[in-house]
Amino acid sequence: MIESIQIQQIAEIVRRAGLNDQTLSALREHFGDLHFSHCLDDELGADEPFLADEAFNLYLVDGRAHCLTLTRDPECATGLLLAEVEAHA
């Protein structure tokens, strides 16, 4: 389970620090009970993000079963996928 306040805190950290290896490392250290992944948003297809931002989208991950799946339910979420949104020229 991920609390909504945690999701907002994580989004604010990424907004301020940017989505990069240092930010992910800091998030993993501060929110040690959560799993964090990073990818490009283009790699996800048509899934709707849980939280959309200008530079990144945040997806919730359910890792309770054998395979990881995206979820929109914070009660089932065990981690977050931070997907970088590339600016189009």
Side-chain angles (χ1 to χ4, degrees), residues 35 37 61-70 78:
H35 174 78
S37 298
V61 177
D62 182 350
R64 298 174 301 159
H66 178 67
C67 294
L68 298 175
T69 58
L70 296 179
T78 59

Side-chain angles (χ1 to χ4, degrees), residues 1-2 60-64 69 71-79:
M1 175 182 168
I2 302 176
L60 301 179
V61 177
D62 182 350
R64 298 174 301 159
T69 58
T71 183
R72 296 200 51 78
D73 185 356
E75 293 282 328
C76 299
T78 59

Side-chain angles (χ1 to χ4, degrees), residues 1 11-12 27 33 44-45 50 64 67 71-72 75 83 85 88:
M1 175 182 168
E12 188 58 30
L27 289 170
D33 56 331
L44 292 172
F50 184 81
R64 298 174 301 159
C67 294
T71 183
R72 296 200 51 78
E75 293 282 328
V85 175
H88 293 89

Side-chain angles (χ1 to χ4, degrees), residues 1-2 12 20-21 23-24 26 29 31 33 38 40 49 51 54 58 62 64-66 70 73-75 77:
M1 175 182 168
I2 302 176
E12 188 58 30
N20 54 53
D21 290 339
T23 303
L24 288 169
E29 186 175 324
F31 298 95
D33 56 331
H38 170 249
L40 295 176
L51 183 146
E54 188 174 311
L58 185 148
D62 182 350
R64 298 174 301 159
H66 178 67
L70 296 179
D73 185 356
E75 293 282 328

